Amino acid sequence: MPTIRPPRLFASFAVILALISFQVPPAASAATTATISVATAIQQQNGGVATVEGYVVGQPTATNTVVRSNFPSDYALALADSAGQTSTSAMLYVQIPTAFRASYGLKTNPSRLGTKITVTGTLTAYFTHPGMKDPTAFTGGGSGGGGTDDYYAGAAGKTGPALKAALHTIISSQTKLSYDQVWNALKSTDQDPGNTNNVILLYSGRSQSKTTNGGDANDWNREHVWPQSHGDFGTATGPGTDIHHLRPEDVTVNSVRGNKDFDLGGSAVAEAPGSLTDADSFEPRAAVKGDVARMILYMAVRYEGGDGWPNLEPNNIVGNGSAPAVGKLSVLKAWSAADPPDTFEKRRNQVIYDSFQHNRNPFIDHPEWVTSIWP
């Protein structure tokens, strides 16, 4: 019997079906799913597409210039692997397309500074510097906690004493500094965004060289916003070295403030424009009243009588002396409401978290918690 062969048409059709069913995954798909660091993105300036995660550290305006305040436009931002990074060589310059400028441009959204975001785009030079162009996606850096939801997960849904207890547990996990280490920490946390060689003095508002720290007139020293005598904790490692409430200040102004509580009114303080003082209280300049309040309230949550340290609490009087208390709470609450966290304060909180103590001031991230704990 002769062999029956399938028609040539059927054989060709079978080959076509096989080719259609065999699909090769796009080579680029795997490359665009993994998130890489800023350091890796700087090394991979090859025109490929990548998703990069980093902290917003300013706006590039030239190859070696990144501004951190008074942002001129919404066209670009700089990313780094640390919120405290100041070296442009460790930054990735990111172009912001029109569609994302209203949400991520720094002129419109200065509070983005210090927040962590992810961006997907093409890794290629921008401003003649390692960069990313034509991004197709921006995520993260949201308001209402600055992307710190995981950090505060244990406080979710709580109010009043339960919230305070939960926050105490969260922020008590920290690295502790010695009093000598505080000097260098303050040079980073309180760095002048307009002059990286200087720090900003808390009450004076003056920009002063980092190298002029010391104990002589016109030097700056380490101001304890919660006076170390209010609880008698001194400068041993603990509350006396917690940089969430230690700030650079002019030696003379620091002495004028002394261990006074906070309240309204008094006479003008020389070398601290806008600050006032009387026999038992100190009123800082308006631009940092909220900062002062949130530092005091941080201390009240962080130090609850454990670790061998006193239980620190705000109260509504002045003249607290050596008692572990600082007033006036009603005034501090009003200051926190009137002067919400600004870019400088948010960046400072992030630098402390990233580079030094690895804990946060919850009232900077969530100012609304002030009245939840102290209604």
Side-chain angles (χ1 to χ4, degrees):
M1 178 183 290
T3 302
I4 301 174
R5 300 180 183 275
R8 189 180 301 264
L9 177 61
F10 290 145
S12 299
F13 186 62
V15 170
I16 292 170
L17 284 175
L19 288 172
I20 291 174
S21 63
F22 181 72
Q23 297 179 358
V24 179
S29 63
T32 59
T33 56
T35 299
I36 63 174
S37 67
V38 170
T40 300
I42 290 172
Q43 296 299 317
Q44 293 183 5
Q45 295 288 293
N46 54 13
V49 174
T51 298
V52 180
E53 181 178 68
Y55 292 95
V56 179
V57 292
Q59 179 179 351
T61 56
T63 302
N64 297 310
T65 305
V66 171
V67 298
R68 295 172 180 82
S69 61
N70 300 317
F71 302 110
S73 70
D74 289 327
Y75 297 165
L77 58 77
L79 289 182
D81 286 323
S82 165
Q85 183 60 254
T86 58
S87 172
T88 57
S89 64
M91 297 178 187
L92 184 76
Y93 292 179
V94 179
Q95 182 183 50
I96 306 178
T98 303
F100 298 102
R101 288 173 189 164
S103 298
Y104 285 88
L106 289 174
K107 183 175 182 179
T108 301
N109 307 277
S111 63
R112 291 284 186 197
L113 190 71
T115 62
K116 182 183 282 188
I117 67 172
T118 58
V119 189
T120 301
T122 303
L123 296 177
T124 187
Y126 187 42
F127 282 98
T128 321
H129 182 282
M132 175 184 284
K133 284 185 161 183
D134 304 317
T136 57
F138 284 75
T139 59
S143 59
T148 58
D149 289 348
D150 289 344
Y151 181 75
Y152 293 116
K158 294 181 171 64
T159 60
L163 174 61
K164 188 182 183 199
L167 293 176
H168 169 73
T169 299
I170 292 166
I171 68 177
S172 293
S173 176
Q174 67 169 104
T175 298
K176 297 175 182 177
L177 306 182
S178 71
Y179 202 42
D180 282 341
Q181 289 174 319
V182 168
W183 285 120
N184 283 333
L186 295 184
K187 292 176 183 179
S188 178
T189 60
D190 290 75
Q191 178 174 281
D192 181 349
N195 182 347
T196 58
N197 295 315
N198 288 9
V199 291
I200 299 292
L201 307 189
L202 177 63
Y203 307 131
S204 304
R206 188 169 73 233
S207 178
Q208 185 160 321
S209 172
K210 292 178 179 179
T211 63
T212 60
N213 61 299
D216 295 331
N218 296 318
D219 284 348
W220 63 267
N221 59 7
R222 296 160 291 190
E223 155 70 346
H224 290 78
V225 177
W226 185 293
Q228 51 188 297
S229 62
H230 288 225
D232 229 5
F233 49 74
T235 57
T237 299
T241 64
D242 192 321
I243 55 176
H244 275 295
H245 84 118
L246 282 161
R247 301 293 290 267
E249 188 47 71
D250 175 86
V251 167
T252 303
V253 175
N254 193 347
S255 178
V256 170
R257 191 270 159 131
N259 69 347
K260 296 172 183 174
D261 293 278
F262 293 103
D263 199 0
L264 301 171
S267 303
V269 178
E271 298 191 68
S275 296
L276 304 171
T277 192
D278 58 23
D280 56 14
S281 71
F282 189 89
E283 179 180 353
R285 60 192 177 99
V288 296
K289 285 181 174 177
D291 307 50
V292 165
R294 286 180 284 274
M295 286 186 277
I296 293 296
L297 300 178
Y298 161 87
M299 294 292 282
V301 171
R302 171 60 186 88
Y303 299 99
E304 292 275 46
D307 304 331
W309 302 111
N311 180 14
L312 306 181
E313 291 294 339
N315 62 19
N316 216 34
I317 64 173
V318 295
N320 278 293
S322 62
V326 167
K328 266 183 169 179
L329 177 58
S330 58
V331 172
L332 295 170
K333 287 170 58 182
W335 288 354
S336 181
D339 175 35
D342 60 13
T343 300
F344 187 91
E345 190 180 3
K346 290 177 181 178
R347 176 194 172 274
R348 187 176 196 277
N349 195 30
Q350 192 66 48
V351 172
I352 292 173
Y353 178 74
D354 286 336
S355 303
F356 297 103
Q357 294 186 179
H358 312 298
N359 71 338
R360 307 182 68 84
N361 182 332
F363 304 111
I364 296 173
D365 296 322
H366 288 275
E368 73 277 9
W369 283 345
V370 171
T371 53
S372 179
I373 295 174
W374 294 279

